[in-house]
């Protein structure tokens, strides 16, 4: 199924996460190959977003180990044992990962350009001129070359989300996470954002992990679709198989429900 | 090209504005002292204005201390560990929950005694009392403003791999400033007015001069009318300055 299953860019090993009584990830084992595009679909509250959030270090898993590019994310090696990661280790491994959020989360007090240059200049310590040049390229690439000096409040939802994509790309992550990035958009603005992501998927070298309700889009860009429910992977495979000929009863009834309207 | 140091420029402009207005006020005061108008009640002005320098000095130094205390304590209370939060919380509640006059007396009369043995000049005591008292209120303002920043801003900062200090400085505080500014304007004016209390620890500020003048020449109504006007003329530019500063923001939430 994966070209490099021996050497994944992301590996979840027996990962469990609960919020109080509610277990959202149950002993999850899950790999993503370098450059692989994986879409996670499933009912609301099934824990899809939590997969992205523990990988972005926004939530701490209760149990299990997550590996990113061969390094443990929430742990570090101490001799032959794994101990909880220091802030320094966490920052080092986290640098491989970027994320685009449902609600954009742009910095409202910075222009589009500065939203994109802020972290490269201050976190990656890039020279300001280089960071701005790269930011202009990225914003051009997402079709916002004429909005460099605009503040987020002056942009539409679709434009904001494209700035957010440029901002995440500026950090050159190896894995990019897209968390329901079109769910907060007006329907007529969804297309412009999906087009940008589609182009990114075609360019190729970055692994992408998407949680989405856009089934047509998922089918089109994914190498693999994962159907996730109640904290577990129920079924996974190439999009044609999962959408066209699902084997599991729950997968079938989910697609029946979402694809019929 | 966007201005990289917008906030800094705004604060600098504001400080220039306040210093400029104070300079004009002091110039007028000096002129009135050298060339006192004859007609009552203005003949009383030169003596009252002798206290102006003390009042302004206390306001500026007290405000500087209060600002630092408010930001440090506010940030600590919003994001520090439980021990830091408890200690800072204790400070805030004690200084908000007791009278500033009593605090002033403690700092000036009690601290020099054993077991503290800490003697301060009246000016130091005044600045410390004003800074710590107003700083405690300011800390609550800062804490509230930080708490109102949407969670998504913190998550975006983590996703961009910012360390916590950088996140605070570059993402959270600049946005919190919007909520902080108006109440800080109020606190600054409160601080200015509270400087009148230092007349009770022998500092000869405007109020002190007024009380002395009333004892020597009587004319109670005229003395207190002039004091009233002096405080208002000091406070009003601060109000205008803070409003002007609020208008400098180019972005909307």
């Amino acid at each position: 199924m994966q070209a490099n299953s021996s050497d994944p860019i992301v590996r979840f090993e027996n990962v469990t996460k609960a919020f109080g009584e509610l277990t959202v990830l149950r002993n999850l084992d899950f790999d993503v190959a370098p450059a692989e595009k994986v879409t996670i679909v499933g009912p609301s509250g099934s824990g899809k977003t939590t997969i992205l959030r523990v990988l972005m270090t926004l939530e701490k898993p209760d149990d299990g180990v997550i590996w990113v590019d061969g390094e443990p994310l929430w742990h570090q090696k101490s001799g032959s044992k794994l101990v909880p990661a220091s802030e320094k280790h966490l920052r080092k491994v986290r640098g491989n990962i970027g994320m685009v959020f449902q609600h954009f989360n742009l910095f409202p007090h910075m222009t589009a350009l500065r939203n994109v240059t802020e972290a490269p200049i201050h976190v990656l310590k890039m020279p300001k001129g280089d960071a701005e040049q790269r930011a202009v390229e990225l914003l051009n690439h997402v079709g916002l070359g004429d909005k460099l000096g605009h503040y987020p409040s002056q942009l539409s939802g679709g434009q904001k989300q494209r700035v957010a994509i440029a901002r995440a790309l500026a950090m050159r992550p190896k894995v990019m996470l897209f968390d329901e990035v079109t769910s907060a958009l007006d329907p007529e603005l969804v297309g412009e954002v999906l087009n940008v992501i589609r182009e990114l998927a075609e360019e190729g070298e970055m692994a992408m992990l998407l949680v989405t309700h856009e089934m047509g889009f998922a089918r089109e860009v994914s190498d693999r679709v994962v159907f996730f429910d109640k904290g577990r992977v129920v079924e996974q495979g190439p999009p044609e198989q999962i959408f066209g000929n699902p084997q599991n009863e729950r997968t079938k009834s989910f697609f029946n429900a979402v694809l019929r309207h | 090209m966007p201005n990289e140091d917008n906030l800094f420029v705004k604060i600098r402009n504001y400080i220039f504005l306040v210093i400029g207005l104070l300079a004009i006020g002091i110039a007028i005061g000096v002129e009135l002292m050298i060339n006192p108008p004859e007609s009552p009640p203005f003949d009383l002005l030169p003596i009252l204005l002798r206290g102006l320098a003390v009042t302004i000095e206390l306001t500026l130094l007290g405000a500087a201390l209060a600002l630092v205390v408010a930001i440090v304590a506010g940030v600590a209370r919003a994001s520090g560990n439980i021990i830091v939060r408890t200690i800072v919380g204790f400070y805030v509640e004690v200084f908000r929950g007791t009278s500033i006059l009593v605090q002033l007396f403690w700092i000036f009369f009690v601290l020099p005694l054993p077991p503290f043995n800490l003697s301060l000049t009246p000016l130091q005591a005044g600045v410390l009392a004003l800074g710590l008292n107003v700083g405690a209120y300011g800390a609550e303002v800062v804490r509230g403003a930080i708490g109102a920043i949407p969670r998504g801003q913190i998550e975006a900062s983590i996703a961009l791999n910012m360390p916590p200090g950088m996140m605070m400085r570059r993402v959270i505080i600049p946005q919190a400033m919007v909520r902080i500014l108006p109440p800080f304007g109020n606190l600054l004016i409160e601080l200015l007015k509270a400087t009148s209390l230092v007349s009770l620890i022998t500092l000869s500020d405007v109020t002190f001069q007024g009380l002395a003048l009333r004892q020597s020449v009587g004319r109670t109504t005229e003395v207190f009318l002039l004091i009233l006007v002096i405080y208002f003329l000091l406070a009003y530019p601060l109000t205008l300055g803070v409003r002007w500063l609020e208008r400098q923001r180019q972005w909307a939430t």
Side-chain angles (χ1 to χ4, degrees), chain A residues 6 24 41 60 65 69 94 101 113 117 139 150 158 168-169 231:
Chain A
S6 59
V24 286
V41 298
K60 191 174 185 177
V65 183
D69 203 15
R94 185 199 283 146
F101 297 88
L113 182 69
T117 59
L139 286 167
H150 284 55
L169 287 173

Side-chain angles (χ1 to χ4, degrees), chain A residues 52-117:
Chain A
L52 303 190
R53 291 176 60 83
V54 294
L55 193 50
M56 193 66 260
T57 69
L58 302 175
E59 307 281 358
K60 191 174 185 177
D62 300 325
D63 200 9
V65 183
I66 300 170
W67 301 82
V68 176
D69 203 15
E71 294 252 24
L73 174 65
W74 282 101
H75 303 80
Q76 61 194 61
K77 289 170 187 156
S78 169
S80 60
K81 284 192 308 202
L82 288 180
V83 297
S86 64
E87 177 68 22
K88 189 177 164 214
H89 176 88
L90 208 56
R91 285 195 65 216
K92 183 179 140 220
V93 182
R94 185 199 283 146
N96 292 307
I97 303 167
M99 185 161 179
V100 182
F101 297 88
Q102 182 178 356
H103 295 289
F104 332 128
N105 301 346
L106 288 182
F107 301 131
H109 58 303
M110 299 180 191
T111 60
L113 182 69
R114 225 186 115 199
N115 262 283
V116 181
T117 59

Side-chain angles (χ1 to χ4, degrees), chain B residues 65-142:
Chain B
L65 178 63
L67 183 68
V68 172
V69 167
I71 290 177
V72 171
V75 168
R77 225 182 164 194
S79 65
N81 66 36
I82 181 115
I83 298 164
V84 172
R85 286 208 309 270
T86 309
I87 292 169
V88 175
F90 181 74
Y91 151 68
V92 168
E93 294 311 337
V94 165
F95 274 80
R96 286 201 310 169
T98 59
S99 148
I100 183 168
L101 189 58
V102 177
Q103 291 160 20
L104 189 66
F105 287 164
W106 260 85
I107 290 169
F108 189 64
F109 294 121
V110 181
L111 283 193
L113 305 174
F116 309 107
N117 296 319
L118 181 64
S119 283
L120 297 172
T121 66
L123 181 70
Q124 288 168 341
V127 169
L128 196 62
L130 290 166
L132 290 178
N133 181 274
V134 176
Y137 287 94
E140 283 301 278
V141 170
V142 171

Side-chain angles (χ1 to χ4, degrees), chain B residues 8-98:
Chain B
F8 173 73
V9 171
K10 282 178 207 163
I11 289 170
R12 194 189 57 193
N13 288 346
Y14 173 58
I15 290 169
F16 284 166
L17 181 83
V18 169
I19 290 173
L21 288 169
L22 286 175
I24 293 167
I26 290 168
I28 294 170
V30 169
E31 167 64 21
L32 286 169
M33 271 191 271
I34 297 167
N35 248 330
E38 303 278 311
S39 62
F42 296 107
D43 56 330
L44 300 173
L45 257 185
I47 296 172
L48 287 180
L49 290 176
R50 278 184 212 153
L52 193 60
V54 173
T55 295
I56 290 173
E57 190 178 13
L58 270 168
T59 304
L60 290 180
L61 293 176
L65 178 63
L67 183 68
V68 172
V69 167
I71 290 177
V72 171
V75 168
R77 225 182 164 194
S79 65
N81 66 36
I82 181 115
I83 298 164
V84 172
R85 286 208 309 270
T86 309
I87 292 169
V88 175
F90 181 74
Y91 151 68
V92 168
E93 294 311 337
V94 165
F95 274 80
R96 286 201 310 169
T98 59

Side-chain angles (χ1 to χ4, degrees), chain A residues 91 107 110-136 138 167 170-172, chain B residues 1-5 160-163 166 169-170:
Chain A
R91 285 195 65 216
F107 301 131
M110 299 180 191
T111 60
L113 182 69
R114 225 186 115 199
N115 262 283
V116 181
T117 59
E118 183 71 6
I121 292 173
H122 297 288
V123 177
L124 301 181
K125 312 291 180 201
M126 263 173 90
K128 193 177 165 194
D130 296 0
E132 283 183 352
Q133 196 187 338
R134 165 112 172 112
V136 171
L138 286 167
R167 178 175 71 171
M171 299 299 281
R172 299 185 185 278
Chain B
M1 201 61 42
N3 193 335
E4 272 290 304
D5 301 301
L160 292 167
N161 218 355
M162 289 188 190
M166 186 187 293
R169 275 195 321 279
R170 309 202 66 95

